[in-house]
Amino acid sequence: MWAIPVLLIVGLAVGVGLLVLVSHPGVGLDGPEAESANWRRVDAEVISVLRAGHRTFLLVRFTVGTSLIRNDVRYPLPGAVPHAGQRVPIRYDPMSPARVVFDLQPHSSRSS
């Protein structure tokens, strides 16, 4: 009889823990920025812009070898947002090219 309330409490605690991990960028499941220091840099073409609340996402496309990759990347800079057709610097994981982050490094130190 007491097993059901105990299971409900454990399930609730696990759910709250996952919610806390997911809600903090850079911690837990949502933090590719921290591990992207050695990812490859490339200029991607903006296809479209999506504003979701106070966050902005860019749908970009870029080539890796002979593959054309399309993915969303969060745009972290304030002010004017790039428009469709403009090229923006990104970094992608060579082992999984669909993992993309916006590259905040200056253009002068970039290499393709």
Side-chain angles (χ1 to χ4, degrees):
M1 243 164 78
W2 55 269
I4 293 175
V6 169
L7 287 176
L8 287 174
I9 291 171
V10 169
L12 182 63
V14 169
V16 168
L18 285 175
L19 184 62
V20 167
L21 284 176
V22 171
S23 66
H24 292 289
V27 175
L29 306 174
D30 284 340
E33 292 85 2
E35 62 183 272
S36 66
N38 295 323
W39 289 6
R40 296 203 177 133
R41 295 179 174 145
V42 68
D43 285 332
E45 180 184 2
V46 176
I47 298 172
S48 65
V49 177
L50 170 68
R51 289 187 176 87
H54 63 282
R55 297 166 63 176
T56 302
F57 295 90
L58 306 176
L59 177 60
V60 297
R61 66 180 170 198
F62 58 100
T63 56
V64 176
T66 58
S67 299
L68 180 64
I69 308 293
R70 292 175 52 150
N71 205 346
D72 293 318
V73 62
R74 184 169 181 225
Y75 186 71
L77 302 176
V81 176
H83 55 82
Q86 189 173 347
R87 300 195 79 73
V88 294
I90 61 166
R91 283 190 267 178
Y92 69 91
D93 182 355
M95 301 305 286
S96 178
R99 295 181 65 196
V100 178
V101 295
F102 193 81
D103 188 8
L104 296 174
Q105 300 295 322
H107 289 334
S108 60
S109 66
R110 294 168 22 96
S111 61
S112 300

